[in-house]
Amino acid sequence: MSTTSGTSKYVAVREHLLSRIQKLEAGSQLPAEPVLCDEYGVSRITLRHAVDGLIADGHLVREHGRGTFVTEPQYRLHYRERFADEVKGFHAQQTGEGFAVSTRVLEQKVVRAGETVASHLDINSADEVVELTRLRFVNGSLHHLVVTWLPYALFPETATVDFTDGSLYGHLDREHGVTLARQDLLVSLDGASSVHADELDVPLGTTLLKIASTVFDGDERAVAYGTSHFTPQNSEIFFGLHG
């Protein structure tokens, strides 16, 4: 397979791998990394980036000491929308419709990105990110739990800013002049972990709507990645598409 350099090479490998694994049975093992690197003519970093993205999307699973395997097919909607002007965050959307939004910040810390977050933010897995965990309420009712990661090198003050009131994206706009131009969404179902069960007040294992979101600025730079888990009564999403 011929590829070009940079991001296009990563995308080409990822798309070819996705097409390849969709033809395999669940549990099938991918060839070892050196074999795939030779096959695609790419570096280990490029291959690992492509594989990490497919792991994050639920197509593959990596087992330490054993290798990388194809997962069971999952009911997912992988959706991308390019907005005409800017992405509106949850706070702006809800307040724009006349609702009152409030937030309870559960955790706010600086951590290493790790492979999954790094693959979405296009940074090194050892780089630092701000991890912001929040419960969001609409008109006083619990709506969802969201964990957001931002590159610390770009937005270090987000580790200490009080986000109890106001919008995270509004802060990025005001303080950094960041215009949000594109949002990639992955919508899926996820069983409630012990953390989700405690914070959303649902039984362990309850099926929740999960939305993973990567937001880009006008220069196609990833500025935030997050995962939201919605309470069962709020497990509905509407997409409006414009041609």
Side-chain angles (χ1 to χ4, degrees), residues 5 16 26 86 105 115 124 150 158 174 187 203:
S5 61
H16 191 276
E86 65 177 9
V105 178
E115 293 181 353
N124 190 286
L150 307 101
T158 58
R174 291 189 307 272
V187 183

Side-chain angles (χ1 to χ4, degrees), residues 105-113 127-134 147-152 155-161 163:
V105 178
L106 301 179
E107 200 162 28
Q108 194 169 4
K109 59 185 179 181
V110 178
V111 299
R112 298 295 180 185
D127 288 347
E128 292 184 326
V129 292
V130 177
E131 182 179 282
L132 181 62
T133 305
R134 296 168 291 167
V147 184
T148 307
W149 294 270
L150 307 101
Y152 181 79
F155 315 116
E157 83 290 343
T158 58
T160 55
V161 170
F163 289 109

Side-chain angles (χ1 to χ4, degrees), residues 175-198:
E175 300 300 323
H176 297 275
V178 171
T179 298
L180 306 178
R182 193 184 96 218
Q183 185 174 25
D184 290 358
L185 303 176
L186 177 65
V187 183
S188 62
L189 299 178
D190 193 20
S193 67
S194 58
V195 173
H196 302 140
D198 289 344

Side-chain angles (χ1 to χ4, degrees), residues 219-241:
D219 295 324
E220 292 292 309
R221 177 183 60 173
V223 296
Y225 169 67
T227 59
S228 298
H229 285 81
F230 292 79
T231 58
Q233 61 268 34
N234 291 308
S235 293
E236 182 178 274
I237 185 169
F238 171 79
F239 292 113
L241 303 180

Side-chain angles (χ1 to χ4, degrees), residues 72-88:
E72 289 283 352
Q74 301 182 44
Y75 295 100
R76 291 171 176 261
L77 170 62
H78 199 178
Y79 173 78
R80 171 179 289 182
E81 180 177 355
R82 184 176 296 277
F83 292 81
D85 44 17
E86 65 177 9
V87 177
K88 289 186 177 180

